[in-house]
Amino acid sequence: MSDYERYGDYDEIDDDSPKSKNPIVIILKILIAFMCVSVVGLIAFRLIVFNNYPDSVEELYINDALEAHYSALGDNISVKTQSLRAPYDDEDLGNFFCDYLYVIEELGQLQITVRYNTSTVRRFSDELGRELDADDEDVFEYRLCASYGDEAGLVYYDVVSDSVFASQVMYRYKKLVFDGIDFSGEGSPYWIRLEVRVKPENDTPWEKNLAPDSDAAKDTYMIPIYENNENYSKFEDYKFKK
């Protein structure tokens, strides 16, 4: 082998030596990885908060009427729950969401928890031109509208017996307890919806029948929370905690 061939081998070895990495490329890769982890973490956090309700508004609320009812019947008390098929007022905006429905038919009591975002309150403030406080538990008013069939028409229950208010990050929650609801008829009510409106400044009473094109109807948000008809009537028994 000639000396020139040996020199060629040395050159090949030099070409194979590792090259130093560009620090800018390394920094960019770290930033991209950090951003990906942050986005995934933020999405996971929102999902966890979205699906997690504070215990105070998640559990069955024991008011005086229910306590007396339980004292009389003990373990024979019957509490039903139902999965809500459309637990929101608008599938796009989603101003209000409902969950944790409890029905005690013998007592005529219904409990439901409604949730809304602080951004919803800010948007309503802009639309109405007046300041609304998301931490004011009375910023909204609630009532139930029940259908007992075509002939019976609609019945409204606009007195909230008890309520519990809670907050968690950007969400606000209100557990509502309604008493005096008529569950006596077989298979009735046909359905019940929760109606929500911003509390008016002049204490304007609820309109009993909302025409679809009326201003009151436009300012009222409706969520179906109870169904007991041929389309849907699936209930589960609530395991009463001591």
Side-chain angles (χ1 to χ4, degrees):
M1 180 181 294
S2 66
D3 292 338
Y4 293 108
E5 291 177 341
R6 291 182 182 143
Y7 287 136
D9 293 340
Y10 294 148
D11 291 339
E12 291 177 2
I13 294 175
D14 291 338
D15 292 338
D16 292 338
S17 60
K19 297 179 181 179
S20 59
K21 296 182 178 179
N22 191 330
I24 297 179
V25 175
I26 295 176
I27 293 174
L28 287 175
K29 289 182 178 180
I30 293 174
L31 289 176
I32 292 173
F34 177 77
M35 291 178 62
C36 292
V37 172
S38 299
V39 171
V40 172
L42 180 61
I43 293 175
F45 174 76
R46 288 294 298 268
L47 289 175
I48 291 173
V49 174
F50 183 84
N51 293 305
N52 182 45
Y53 283 58
D55 291 342
S56 60
V57 296
E58 178 180 309
E59 299 173 351
L60 181 70
Y61 180 75
I62 311 298
N63 66 349
D64 292 340
L66 183 53
E67 184 177 6
H69 186 63
Y70 182 75
S71 298
L73 298 180
D75 291 336
N76 294 322
I77 189 173
S78 174
V79 181
K80 295 181 179 180
T81 66
Q82 185 179 66
S83 296
L84 278 60
R85 296 195 294 171
Y88 43 76
D89 65 301
D90 186 291
E91 61 180 353
D92 295 322
L93 293 176
N95 301 299
F96 300 96
F97 284 79
C98 288
D99 205 346
Y100 298 102
L101 171 71
Y102 300 114
V103 176
I104 305 95
E105 293 182 350
E106 297 86 351
L107 184 59
Q109 185 178 106
L110 181 148
Q111 301 186 14
I112 189 69
T113 297
V114 60
R115 182 195 68 205
Y116 51 89
N117 199 313
T118 54
S119 62
T120 298
V121 180
R122 290 196 299 270
R123 177 160 49 80
F124 288 168
S125 295
D126 294 338
E127 293 175 356
L128 296 173
R130 61 187 177 96
E131 189 64 27
L132 301 176
D133 184 4
D135 292 314
D136 178 6
E137 62 178 284
D138 296 321
V139 66
F140 298 113
E141 291 184 332
Y142 309 88
R143 73 173 181 180
L144 296 181
C145 176
S147 170
Y148 290 87
D150 295 337
E151 295 182 359
L154 301 178
V155 177
Y156 292 88
Y157 301 95
D158 55 5
V159 178
V160 178
S161 303
D162 295 276
S163 65
V164 179
F165 182 76
S167 62
Q168 182 173 264
V169 194
M170 76 287 291
Y171 292 114
R172 299 297 179 266
Y173 309 82
K174 191 75 176 283
K175 171 176 279 296
L176 306 168
V177 181
F178 293 88
D179 284 308
I181 301 173
D182 182 11
F183 290 103
S184 60
E186 183 178 354
S188 66
Y190 193 77
W191 54 256
I192 300 176
R193 71 182 179 225
L194 177 70
E195 297 186 354
V196 187
R197 70 170 182 173
V198 176
K199 186 175 182 179
E201 294 181 295
N202 54 0
D203 294 328
T204 304
W206 288 94
E207 289 188 21
K208 287 302 181 183
N209 295 297
L210 299 176
D213 57 348
S214 66
D215 292 336
K218 296 175 183 177
D219 296 333
T220 301
Y221 306 90
M222 307 176 186
I223 308 102
I225 61 171
Y226 172 99
E227 295 180 79
N228 190 14
N229 51 66
E230 64 273 11
N231 296 320
Y232 188 67
S233 59
K234 183 179 180 181
F235 291 89
E236 296 180 359
D237 292 328
Y238 173 75
K239 302 302 180 182
F240 206 89
K241 298 179 181 179
K242 295 292 184 181

